[in-house]
Amino acid sequence: MANSLWTIEEFACPRCGMNYSATKEEHTEKHSGSFRCSVCKAEVHAWADNHHFFDWKAIQSRPPVFGRRWGVSQM
């Protein structure tokens, strides 16, 4: 669609918490669809409106690090 508006949106799987991003494109006609988690197969997002989501990607995030830092002495 010419002159369409695209935005990047983020979603989290309601079951396992995996994070995803997708491109949302506005349309003049209705589109419907859904996306399922690649890890646990739960439905992450479904739509039926004047937009479409595509280019789904898993968001790579660093896991939290717990504990003490190396080389730090405790006194």
Side-chain angles (χ1 to χ4, degrees):
M1 175 179 184
N3 298 324
S4 64
L5 177 65
W6 290 12
T7 57
I8 303 294
E9 297 195 11
E10 294 185 1
F11 302 88
C13 176
R15 186 180 298 158
C16 73
M18 182 70 176
N19 294 311
Y20 295 93
S21 69
T23 303
K24 178 182 177 181
E25 181 179 29
E26 298 294 330
H27 287 272
T28 55
E29 66 278 349
K30 279 198 166 192
H31 287 261
S32 64
S34 64
F35 176 77
R36 294 196 170 275
C37 180
S38 62
V39 176
C40 70
K41 306 301 183 218
E43 186 176 87
V44 175
H45 186 66
W47 60 95
D49 208 345
N50 291 359
H51 55 265
H52 180 65
F53 289 90
F54 64 95
D55 197 25
W56 287 87
K57 296 178 183 171
I59 298 174
Q60 299 295 324
S61 60
R62 294 178 140 185
V65 177
F66 298 99
R68 64 178 186 202
R69 299 175 82 176
W70 290 96
V72 176
S73 63
Q74 294 179 337
M75 294 189 170

